[in-house]
Amino acid sequence: MTGAVRGGTSMPDLWMDTLAQAVLLTEGGVVTRLNAAAARLWGVPQERAEGRPVLEVVRRHTLETLLERGGELELEVSGRTLRCAATREGTAAALIVEDVTEHRRREAELREATAVLSHEFRTPVAALRGVLEALEYDMPRELSQNFVRQGLQETERLARLVEDLAVGFRPTRARTLPLAEAFTRAERLLGTELGARQASLTFGPDHLVRADPDKLLQVLLNLIENALKYGPVGKGIEVQTAERGTWIEVCVLDHGPSIPDTDSLFQAHTRGAGAPGQGSGMGLYIVRSIVQGWGGQAWVERRGERNAFCFTLPGVAGLG
């Protein structure tokens, strides 16, 4: 007697049916038992599966071979990721199948979050390096204090990013601010790059907006850096602003070549065709994610001879 029986089902069988993993047992290539999860996975009632050849139940030669040889593998089946493991002892074999789709999704989200944070850390770290390099030289006290203030500001920004990493991206710290405040910060931080590219940077009329100042700065930096990187040397970059109902539209215009398939640029790890150098392909993905977080939209369009990288953010009445 192999075990106590309740209602015609042995206790070991009841235990197998409580498992979340699909379990299939075979003897000589014939199914001797499968639990409830396996019956759901392969759509075969338990009583009908027993005594049938393995292939008739699992309907995949890959799994049949795995049972014959033993080992592990992962399969993509109907949009699900299945981790399969098989063991053998003589003519008996067991197959265990676990749905790891959610686990793989979380791993992908973690990789994506790491890429986003890596991209966001780059700008304040570069700014701090510039501040420290400048402070190595003798300069008037007023100028050195200005560099110290800039360094402290970027240190605070880094601290916020560390907090975001610790708590899994907190809700935005939105406040009302003039666009000119973000424009001034962006122009200061990009001064070296603007000089290297011999490019001027002009801004449109000021507007009051509602946004997280650091996230708004990140959007502007990403778009202006792209314009500098992909536009011709010596050409000016213009940041246009306009009211669109209760929203404010901001567009960064460059003199780069026309861009095909613009919507795909906002996907993660995607770069434009023919993009020079190396890059993470995360910049525009970050832009769209931030903008959508405050309910706005981000897009690219062609305006005359220039590319316009645009986004919208909530406006606040009172500043024209």
Side-chain angles (χ1 to χ4, degrees):
M1 184 171 180
T2 59
V5 176
R6 290 184 183 175
T9 304
S10 68
M11 289 299 293
D13 288 349
L14 287 174
W15 176 81
M16 281 181 61
D17 284 339
T18 64
L19 296 175
Q21 299 92 340
V23 179
L24 181 143
L25 306 180
T26 70
E27 179 70 41
V30 174
V31 176
T32 58
R33 176 77 174 93
L34 76 165
N35 68 350
R40 290 192 297 270
L41 175 64
W42 290 299
V44 181
Q46 292 170 288
E47 61 275 10
R48 287 183 54 191
E50 295 175 8
R52 296 174 65 180
V54 169
L55 187 59
E56 290 185 14
V57 176
V58 301
R59 297 188 296 277
R60 282 182 177 271
H61 286 289
T62 306
L63 292 179
E64 182 185 37
T65 303
L66 183 66
L67 267 167
E68 292 173 353
R69 298 177 179 177
E72 297 183 6
L73 59 81
E74 283 195 3
L75 286 178
E76 296 291 331
V77 180
S78 301
R80 311 297 294 179
T81 304
L82 305 178
R83 182 164 57 199
C84 312
T87 59
R88 290 193 62 84
E89 184 174 344
T91 59
L95 174 65
I96 301 174
V97 179
E98 182 180 6
D99 188 337
V100 294
T101 307
E102 187 65 17
H103 180 68
R104 293 290 178 262
R105 183 186 65 79
R106 290 175 180 173
E107 285 183 340
E109 287 179 349
L110 179 59
R111 286 193 298 271
E112 188 172 281
T114 302
V116 169
L117 282 169
S118 174
H119 194 283
E120 291 205 25
F121 269 100
R122 184 185 62 186
T123 299
V125 167
L128 280 171
R129 181 185 295 116
V131 167
L132 292 173
E133 289 173 351
L135 289 173
E136 285 184 319
Y137 300 94
D138 291 331
M139 63 182 72
R141 179 174 175 79
E142 184 179 346
L143 183 57
S144 66
Q145 287 180 333
N146 182 59
F147 276 112
V148 170
R149 282 193 296 270
Q150 182 180 337
L152 288 173
Q153 187 177 51
E154 294 308 316
T155 301
E156 290 172 0
R157 188 169 165 217
L158 277 172
R160 293 190 190 102
L161 287 173
V162 171
E163 290 174 8
D164 285 346
L165 177 62
V167 300
F169 299 100
R170 287 176 177 170
T172 180
R173 301 174 180 86
R175 66 174 174 86
T176 299
L177 72 153
L179 272 175
E181 178 183 313
F183 291 163
T184 299
R185 288 181 68 190
E187 187 172 25
R188 184 177 66 246
L189 289 171
L190 293 170
T192 301
E193 293 178 58
L194 288 165
R197 299 288 292 181
Q198 302 170 31
S200 61
L201 180 61
T202 58
F203 299 97
D206 197 8
H207 299 272
L208 277 178
V209 296
R210 182 77 179 174
D212 182 320
D214 289 334
K215 297 300 183 185
L216 174 56
L217 177 64
Q218 188 69 36
V219 169
L220 287 170
L221 289 175
N222 280 346
L223 295 183
I224 298 172
E225 282 180 333
N226 275 356
L228 287 168
K229 186 184 299 183
Y230 302 123
V233 175
K235 289 289 187 178
I237 296 169
E238 182 181 4
V239 181
Q240 295 181 349
T241 63
E243 292 185 9
R244 297 286 184 257
T246 60
W247 294 83
I248 302 300
E249 179 184 282
V250 180
C251 294
V252 178
L253 281 77
D254 64 53
H255 291 269
S258 180
I259 304 171
D261 189 22
T262 57
D263 193 63
S264 67
L265 291 178
F266 290 93
Q267 297 174 3
H269 307 292
T270 300
R271 304 182 72 212
Q278 296 182 341
S280 65
M282 294 296 294
L284 291 179
Y285 170 79
I286 291 171
V287 166
R288 177 168 283 182
S289 297
I290 292 173
V291 171
Q292 288 178 342
W294 60 52
Q297 295 180 315
W299 71 96
V300 184
E301 61 185 46
R302 190 72 175 174
R303 294 186 180 179
E305 298 298 315
R306 296 187 291 179
N307 296 312
F309 288 78
C310 305
F311 66 94
T312 56
L313 68 165
V316 179
L319 181 63

